[in-house]
Amino acid sequence: MTDRYAVFGNPIAHSKSPRIHAAFAEQTGQTLTYEAILAPLDGFAAAVAGFRDEGGRGANVTVPFKEQAFALSNRLSERAQAAGAVNTLTFDAEGVLGDNTDGIGLVNDLAGNLGLELAGKRILLMGAGGAARGVVLPLLEKAPSELFIVNRTAAKARELVAPASLPASFNRAGKALKDTVPSGHNAGATLAAGGYADISGRFDLVINATAASLAGDLPPLPSGLFADGALAYDMMYGKDTPFLAFARSEGARCADGLGMLVEQAAAAFFLWRGVRPATAPVIALLRAG
Ligand code: NDP
């Protein structure tokens, strides 16, 4: 029987994941099917259980079910624990393994496809929802000099970095960061948070992990925010956003989240199949329409 995989979401018709995984399978010679499944808003766990009972081997999970996927996993990777959300499920004899590949997807896009060196850099992360939470640990592991998390509801961003609420892995990465940065201009690497009024100085990388672009909104960013050669990264993809238009007008280099989408899928494919697909041709395929 052909191995079956799927992505669960609501809505799901727009999902590019079936196309991405079909391209990965063709490229690597793997025999599998990958379908998009619309789970009822109140029936995610039942939909996943049904798919598993029918022989499903694994699944991706998207909006709005990532927290529910976290809850139904009986084992969690460290990065899923740190994120508090799961986007990749693997079904095996021991149950359901929950993982989160969004963060590594972003970091691989930044470092691999966009050639960005993150060590020693000042990073501004906008948003404190699931997407932001998933990328904090992978970003910290790249030893930036500072990661400042900003959110419309500032208390939510502060909660994200409060020692009491941080998973052990956050503390370890934060500690490792402080322990390993040499004295000099990188000393004093910090993880901090606040509201938009608290933003000060210039950043080498500004990531939009808010849902503002979905509504065509621009978070209230100050002018002069981007350092020379800075990159503005919007996790949204498929159309120009007010954030990228603002960044362009401020002289920053711009990137959308399509590379992140393909990279998180590649990390999931590797988990399931043990084969690492080449992502560049698939990103190019999707960009071509
Ligand atoms: P959530 O609903 O969990 O979080 C939304 C966040 O956006 C909150 O921090 C919220 O602030 C903030 N926000 C919403 N509207 C505005 C606004 N008008 N101005 C400023 N801040 C705003 O969403 P997710 O974290 O799941 O997703 C965020 C984005 O990331 C989406 O666009 C999604 O498509 C994208 N994404 C892309 C991926 C990829 O692979 N490229 C992967 C995952 C997500 P507050 O707390 O104040 O409400």
Side-chain angles (χ1 to χ4, degrees), residues 106 108-117 231-233 253-256:
L106 171 70
N108 285 348
D109 192 34
L110 291 170
N113 303 324
L114 299 166
L116 200 70
E117 172 61 67
L231 178 74
Y233 192 101
R253 191 158 71 101
C254 293
D256 73 2

Side-chain angles (χ1 to χ4, degrees), residues 127-131 151-153 156 209-212 214 217 235 257 260-261:
N151 194 45
R152 183 174 60 180
T153 312
K156 266 175 68 183
T210 74
L214 287 173
D217 291 337
M235 285 195 187
M260 173 178 175
L261 178 76

Side-chain angles (χ1 to χ4, degrees), residues 39-275:
L41 288 174
D42 60 353
F44 170 70
V48 170
F51 180 68
R52 194 179 167 209
D53 289 347
E54 288 165 13
R57 300 285 304 270
N60 286 128
V61 180
T62 188
V63 177
F65 298 126
K66 289 184 187 180
E67 283 78 15
Q68 288 185 53
F70 179 90
L72 70 71
S73 302
N74 68 325
R75 284 167 296 141
L76 290 163
S77 67
E78 187 182 53
R79 56 197 185 188
Q81 277 172 31
V86 158
N87 80 332
T88 304
L89 299 169
T90 304
F91 309 129
D92 59 21
E94 281 105 71
V96 181
L97 172 65
D99 200 347
N100 189 311
T101 63
D102 282 337
I104 194 69
L106 171 70
V107 166
N108 285 348
D109 192 34
L110 291 170
N113 303 324
L114 299 166
L116 200 70
E117 172 61 67
L118 296 171
K121 298 289 167 61
R122 268 197 104 202
I123 303 175
L124 178 66
L125 176 64
M126 296 190 278
R133 197 177 165 86
V135 302
V136 171
L137 180 63
L139 285 172
L140 279 178
E141 284 171 348
K142 291 289 175 186
S145 63
E146 180 178 349
L147 178 59
F148 190 76
I149 305 174
V150 67
N151 194 45
R152 183 174 60 180
T153 312
K156 266 175 68 183
R158 294 202 181 95
E159 223 170 82
L160 213 60
V161 305
S165 64
L166 287 175
S169 47
F170 274 45
N171 291 325
R172 271 205 302 284
K175 187 165 183 301
L177 182 65
K178 290 189 184 93
D179 288 349
T180 56
V181 283
S183 57
H185 78 283
N186 277 343
T190 47
L191 172 62
Y196 286 89
D198 300 315
I199 296 174
S200 73
R202 293 169 12 120
F203 292 84
D204 304 294
L205 171 63
V206 180
I207 301 166
N208 187 6
T210 74
S213 297
L214 287 173
D217 291 337
L218 174 66
L221 292 169
S223 185
L225 166 79
F226 296 96
D228 289 344
L231 178 74
Y233 192 101
D234 201 320
M235 285 195 187
M236 189 164 141
Y237 50 84
K239 62 174 186 182
D240 200 28
T241 66
F243 168 62
L244 291 184
F246 167 76
R248 206 174 297 118
S249 75
E250 294 272 320
R253 191 158 71 101
C254 293
D256 73 2
L258 189 71
M260 173 178 175
L261 178 76
V262 174
E263 293 293 344
Q264 63 78 27
F269 192 90
F270 178 70
L271 276 172
W272 293 330
R273 312 300 298 182
V275 184

